[in-house]
Amino acid sequence: MQDQIDKILTQAMEKIKQVENSKLLDEIRVQFLGKKGELTSLLKNLGSLSAELRPKMGALVNEAKQKVEAEIEKMKQIIIAEEMKMKFSTERIDVTLPGRVPKRGYKHPLRIVQDEIEEIFLGMGFEIAEGPEIDTDYHNFKALNFGDDHPARDEQDTLYIDDNLLMRTHTSPVQVRTMQQKHPDPIRVICPGRVFRRDTIDATHSPQFHQVEGLIVDKGVRFSDLIGVLKLFAQKMFGQDREIRLRPSFFPFTEPSAEVDVSCMMCGGQGCSFCGKTGWLEILGSGAVHPNVLKMSGYDPEIYTGYAFGMGVERIALLKYRINDIRLLFENDVRFLHQFK
Ligand code: DAH
C-alpha cells in the first residue's frame, strides 16, 4: 500500500505542477482529495489491512493528503496572481483615448423656418396660440363665415372624421378659438400648426403641411398696422431690401382680403426665372377680419377691428432655400437634410 500511496502522491504533485488554470486545479483536487478521490479511497480501504498496519498506513495516507492539499493551495496562489495579471492587461482602459461622441441630431428645414417665423413675430410682441388638428365644422368653417355650400367644405377637399369633425384644413380655426377664449381682451397671436387637405402629393401639393396664422384684434387697429407687421416680417425673413405688395383677393373670413407678395430675392424685383419674370413672389393671404367673424366669437365689430394673415411654412421654406419640390421636405433623405446642418 505504501507503494500505492507514493505513486499517487508523485502523480498528483506532477499534475499540480503542470496545471494552467484554477478550473483544472479544482479538477485535480476532486480527482485526488474528493469524496471519491484516489487518496480518499485508500482511507476507505484501510479496513482490509491488519490492525497493526492500519494506523501506520492511515497516517501515511493523511500525510499524503496534506501534502497534496498544501501543494494545491500553493499552486492556487500562483495561478490567481497569474490570472489577475492577465485580466489587468487585457481589460486595461486607456484613459487618454478620445471619448465616443454621441451623434447629435439637428433641425429639419421646416422646423428651422417655423422657429424663425415664430421668433420674428414674438419679437413684435405676438404670443403663440395653438388649437387641435381635429376640429369641428363650426371652428374650421362656420365661424369663419364659410357658406353652407362653400366648395372648401366639399368632401373632395376636406378630410372628414364624421359629419361634425374634420382634419382642420387651415390654422384659421385657432383664430376662432382664441377669440372665444379672450373676448373682450385685445389679441395679438400667431398660431403655427399642421393642416390637412384631400390633395394628392406632387411637387407643389401635400395632403399635410404647415401654416402659421396671425391675428390682431383691438380697438382702433388699422390696415396699415397689418401692412407694417407683414413688411417687417418679409424683410426679416427674406432680406432688408425686400418690398411687399398687396393684391385684392377673397377669403370668406376677411373683408377686404389681400394676397401678399414679396419682391423677388433672386433678381431684386427685376424679373427672373425664379419669380416667373414678374419680380414678385406670393407669400401669404391676409385681410381685415370680417365683421361676422368678430361677432360670432364675441367681439362687437362696431368697437373692435381685427386683422389676420395666414402663410404656408413649406412655401416660405421653398422660397427661402430655393427648393423646387415640396416632397423633398417630407421624404427625409439624409443627403437633402444634411445640407441644413
Ligand atoms: N386660411 C387661409 C388658407 O388656408 C389662409 C389665410 C388667408 C389666413 C387670409 C388668414 C387670412 O388669416 O386673413 O388658405
Side-chain angles (χ1 to χ4, degrees), residues 199-256:
D199 271 328
T200 308
I201 193 153
D202 64 22
T204 53
H205 294 85
S206 162
Q208 61 161 310
F209 56 102
H210 301 77
Q211 288 187 335
V212 175
E213 192 81 13
L215 177 67
I216 309 164
V217 181
D218 206 346
K219 292 174 189 163
V221 279
R222 300 177 302 181
F223 216 111
S224 54
D225 295 319
L226 173 71
I227 295 173
V229 162
L230 294 179
K231 186 171 174 183
L232 197 57
F233 165 72
Q235 292 176 337
K236 293 226 174 202
M237 181 57 78
F238 295 111
Q240 276 301 313
D241 307 331
R242 298 281 71 74
E243 290 294 334
I244 59 166
R245 83 171 177 187
L246 277 69
R247 282 177 292 113
S249 183
F250 173 80
F251 300 104
F253 40 93
T254 44
E255 182 58 36

Side-chain angles (χ1 to χ4, degrees), residues 83 110 128 134 142 156 172 196 208 214 228 253 259 269 276 331 336:
E83 285 179 348
L110 274 178
I128 292 180
I134 294 174
K142 197 172 179 61
Q156 295 296 319
S172 303
F196 307 87
Q208 61 161 310
F253 40 93
E259 215 81 62
E331 280 164 358
F336 172 75

Side-chain angles (χ1 to χ4, degrees), residues 138 179 289-302:
Y138 178 81
M179 286 191 280
V289 180
H290 196 291
N292 290 351
V293 173
L294 287 171
K295 213 183 299 172
M296 276 186 272
S297 293
Y299 287 86
D300 182 349
E302 297 297 329

Side-chain angles (χ1 to χ4, degrees), residues 233-284:
F233 165 72
Q235 292 176 337
K236 293 226 174 202
M237 181 57 78
F238 295 111
Q240 276 301 313
D241 307 331
R242 298 281 71 74
E243 290 294 334
I244 59 166
R245 83 171 177 187
L246 277 69
R247 282 177 292 113
S249 183
F250 173 80
F251 300 104
F253 40 93
T254 44
E255 182 58 36
S257 307
E259 215 81 62
V260 176
D261 299 341
V262 63
S263 57
C264 179
M265 46 278 189
M266 298 291 273
C267 62
Q270 300 303 304
C272 66
S273 61
F274 193 66
C275 56
K277 305 258 190 286
T278 64
W280 297 96
L281 297 157
E282 185 185 317
I283 51 167
L284 54 88

